[in-house]
Structures are given as C-alpha cells and as structure tokens.
Amino acid sequence: MTVAMRETRVFQVDPQHPDPAPIRYAATVLQAGGLVAFPTETVYGLGANALDARAVAGIFAAKERPFYDPLIVHLADVTGLAQVTQSLPPLALELAAHFWPGPLTLVLPKAPQVPTEVTAGSATVAVRVPAHPVALALIAAAQTPIAAPSANRFGRISPTHAQHVFTDLAGRIDVILDGGPTRVGVESTVLSLLTSPPTILRPGGISREALAQFLGVAPLLAASASVSTALPSPGTTLQHYAPRARVFLYCGPRPVMLAAMHAEAVRLTAPGVRVGLLTAIEDVPALADLSAVIQPVGSEDALDEVARHLFAGLHALDQAGVAVILARDFGTAGLGLAIRDRLTRAAAGRVIDLEMQKDPEE
Ligand code: AMP
Ligand code: MG
C-alpha cells in the first residue's frame, strides 16, 4: 500500500482547558477531510469526519489497517446518537446516561448515512462519548461525528503519549494534538446491545463487574480470540498490540509465575541478547539479580495504574532493544481482564499457563 506523505503539525494543548486556536485549526482540517490525532481518556485516537467516506478511507491508508476492521464513532454528547444510529433500544440511553462520557463503546444499528467504510460493511455502528476535554472540544468544533481508531499503525502498540503517535504516524497524518499522557491507558470496552443480555466484544476501560452491577445481570463475554478461531468482534485479531520483541505472557499464582519468568530470563540471557520483564512494582526485588531490563508498570493492587502504564511499558522495552519480553498476568478482576486481553494479543497467543501448578510457598 502506498501512503501519501503529509506534513504533520504538532500542537501542545492543555488537557483540561484546551486553547481554542489549535482546536479550531484541527476542526477545519477534519472538515476538509484531513486526519487529526487527539487524546482521549483511553488512548490517542486518529480521527476523520465519520460521515465522509474519503476521509475515513484516509485513516485506513495511514494506519495500513485492513478494511474489515471497523472504526468507533466518537460523539460530543449523547444527542449525536441520532445522527449515526437508528432504532435505539431504551437500554442504550440508560447505559449512555450512566457511563458517558467514558470508556464504554456501544454497538447499535447504524443510520444509513454512516459510510460502510466506518462499519466494515456491517449494519451496526460502534459509538461512544469520550471523557477528555480535548476530544470533546474537537468533536464539538468539527460539528460532525468523528471516526477514530487508535492512532497507531495496524497491529502495533496503541499510543498513550503523543510521542508514540509521532513515531508511528508522522508524515502520514495532518495534525497531532498533544495533550499529555492518557489516563485510562487501555481502549474502551466494546459492548454489543444486539444480544440480551448485552455482550462484551472487547474488554476495556469499563469493567465487566461495573456493567453487571448496572445491568443487574452479567453481560455475556465473547469468546476471546485467543481461545477461539472465530473473531468475536471484527479487528480483535490474535496478533495485535505487538512490540518488535517476541512477547510471552505468564499466568498463574504469583510465586510460580515469577519463578518461571526468572528461570526463563536466566536461560535466555546471552551475550548480545537482552531480555525484558514487564512486571508489577512489588515483583522487582525478586527479579533484581537478573541482568535484564525490568519494566514495572504499577502495583498489582492498583490495576488502574497498571492499565495506564501498560502500553508505555511495552513501548519502553521496545526502545531498550530487548529481543524477548516476559510479561506477567494481573488476573481477570476489574481492569485485569482488559490487561490480560492486550497482553495475550501482544504475545500473539504465546501464553504460559501455570494456573494448575502449586504455589511453592503454600
Ligand atoms: P480501535 O479503535 O483501533 O481500538 O478499534 C475499534 C474496535 O472496535 C474494532 O477493532 C472492533 O473490535 C470494535 N468495533 C468497531 N465497530 C464495531 C461493530 N460495528 N461491531 C463490532 N465491533 C466493532
Ligand atoms: Mg487499535
């Protein structure tokens, strides 16, 4: 695929009170069919006018994203739903009132004017209202819904800093609004309202437990692409979020997991071969004797911190030039499910499951 070169302009914007001038400029770029990367609370998005099929095609070209992978449409507020959806189930408005602005994407029947490029030919459209002042100001100024996937080339790690976007997409997009690091760090939860109860197509920033509490019933969970050949949601391919290094994900009781990672790091370390470990902060003492690059991403008791630093941790290990990344799991409670999902994809299914092994300290 050949990609047209563009001059990429970067603007610093205050994440809480964005200066109107760069927002206005970025909005005119969107209205003219251009591409603007902007911060949301989850990760940076790469936006185009969702109602302009040519502009949307530009997103796929810049990202080298296959056309079968649909985009999420971002709205400034819930009233925007009328423009992109039809025959709304009452539950959609209840979920929107409770979770928006926020990292919950709803899959709903699409309105005819949404181009098929946005939805990959599907009769449904994925929509959300992001909880970020820069994103909301931009969508409002553009006066149109904004289709925006994560602002990275297809299959690579999602960007949580403007620098990640620049490294991956400079020369391919028109504007980057730099609003600093993103708060949530993993993408939105994608929830389909076409089933009853609704189905989580992709775990993300809103936990399964929070949805269950609101719905009064546990949402269904689409079989993870790691254990099924059928993709639950288009685009949830097994190899995704992939650093250059080969990633292996360790799951199991903490001491078993850490012992296995330690042994493997020792085995792999050789002259000229650097090993990276993606861990919790409290794991560092148990691994400190290794001559490996240790990248703690937060405490296992604060999964919001782990989610926030997860992609930056993978980026940092790539930057350090490690050949292999051994990553630990953080369970499936709360944000743990989304963290496991992203790490499983980064590992392209190379998961070492130690769940059945006994904890040596028990
Ligand atoms: P990204 O914004 O790059 O994280 O990708 C958006 C993801 O949202 C896609 O990869 C799909 O998994 C999901 N998605 C978007 N639109 C739909 C839809 N109409 N039906 C089901 N899933 C969707
Ligand atoms: Mg993505």
Side-chain angles (χ1 to χ4, degrees), residues 133-347:
V134 173
L136 293 175
L138 179 66
I139 304 164
Q143 295 180 294
T144 181
I146 302 298
S150 51
N152 54 281
R153 287 204 223 171
F154 184 70
R156 301 228 180 129
I157 309 165
S158 296
T160 54
H161 295 253
Q163 182 62 49
H164 299 154
V165 181
F166 190 85
T167 305
D168 218 18
L169 294 177
R172 294 170 169 242
I173 65 178
D174 301 297
V175 174
I176 299 173
L177 296 176
D178 179 354
T182 61
R183 175 172 56 84
V184 177
V186 292
E187 296 85 344
S188 59
T189 300
V190 179
L191 186 71
S192 170
L193 297 190
L194 301 180
T195 59
S196 180
T199 302
I200 295 178
L201 299 177
R202 174 180 76 181
I206 297 290
S207 71
R208 184 172 44 164
E209 293 88 334
L211 288 171
Q213 194 182 8
F214 181 80
L215 296 167
V217 52
L220 306 173
L221 188 59
S224 152
S226 63
V227 292
S228 154
T229 46
L231 297 179
S233 182
T236 50
T237 45
L238 188 49
Q239 166 100 50
H240 214 108
Y241 311 103
R244 274 179 282 274
R246 280 167 83 81
V247 179
F248 294 84
L249 174 62
Y250 286 73
C251 297
R254 181 170 177 266
V256 176
M257 197 163 62
L258 289 183
M261 289 167 72
H262 189 283
E264 187 63 1
V266 170
R267 197 180 72 78
L268 291 172
T269 303
V273 180
R274 301 183 84 195
V275 176
L277 291 115
L278 190 97
T279 68
I281 193 93
E282 49 272 53
D283 302 333
V284 173
L287 304 168
D289 64 305
L290 293 168
S291 60
V293 184
I294 299 175
Q295 183 71 50
V297 285
S299 167
E300 61 180 3
D301 298 324
L303 293 183
D304 55 335
E305 214 182 297
V306 174
R308 188 179 309 133
H309 298 128
L310 185 68
F311 290 142
L314 289 171
H315 274 290
L317 287 170
D318 247 0
Q319 287 285 309
V322 302
V324 175
I325 296 173
L326 309 179
R328 65 156 280 182
D329 180 56
F330 288 87
T332 56
L335 287 172
L337 193 64
I339 294 164
R340 178 181 286 186
D341 174 79
R342 305 307 186 269
L343 286 174
T344 301
R345 292 180 208 290

